Amino acid sequence: WWNSIINHMVKDQDYLKKKASFCLDFAKKLGATDSTALVTHSVSETVNFRNKKIDESERSDNLGITLTTYIGKKNLVFLHQI
């Protein structure tokens, strides 16, 4: 059951590509002449044991988007972490 929980939390490639495409399309609608999108996803889990029993457990799930847009030769970088 643990693997099914982990697999559900990790975003698949199609999900990440859709997020990047949305950002690129939005930038173009706002007038960008060129743009790049970097979408990152990370999952971190830490479990601490004391006397062979779970003492503490932490989980972190991060989704970040960096969008660089160009209007002519000027650029703007937008960072967003969800």
Side-chain angles (χ1 to χ4, degrees), residues 15-17 19-21 23 37-41 63-66:
Y15 176 86
L16 300 175
K17 286 178 185 178
K19 295 298 176 196
S21 291
C23 291
L38 172 65
V39 181
T40 58
H41 178 242
L63 178 64
I65 300 171
T66 303

Side-chain angles (χ1 to χ4, degrees), residues 46-59:
T46 303
V47 179
N48 295 322
F49 290 88
R50 183 178 295 185
N51 296 324
K52 298 183 181 182
K53 293 183 181 179
I54 294 178
D55 182 49
E56 183 180 16
S57 177
E58 293 181 18
R59 182 181 173 282

Side-chain angles (χ1 to χ4, degrees), residues 4-48:
S4 65
I5 291 173
I6 297 299
N7 289 333
H8 178 68
M9 292 184 288
V10 175
K11 309 290 188 251
D12 64 23
Q13 290 293 318
D14 189 49
Y15 176 86
L16 300 175
K17 286 178 185 178
K18 285 180 183 177
K19 295 298 176 196
S21 291
F22 173 82
C23 291
L24 294 171
D25 291 342
F26 190 66
K28 188 173 184 176
K29 286 179 186 177
L30 293 177
T33 54
D34 196 11
S35 58
T36 60
L38 172 65
V39 181
T40 58
H41 178 242
S42 65
V43 176
S44 174
E45 296 192 43
T46 303
V47 179
N48 295 322

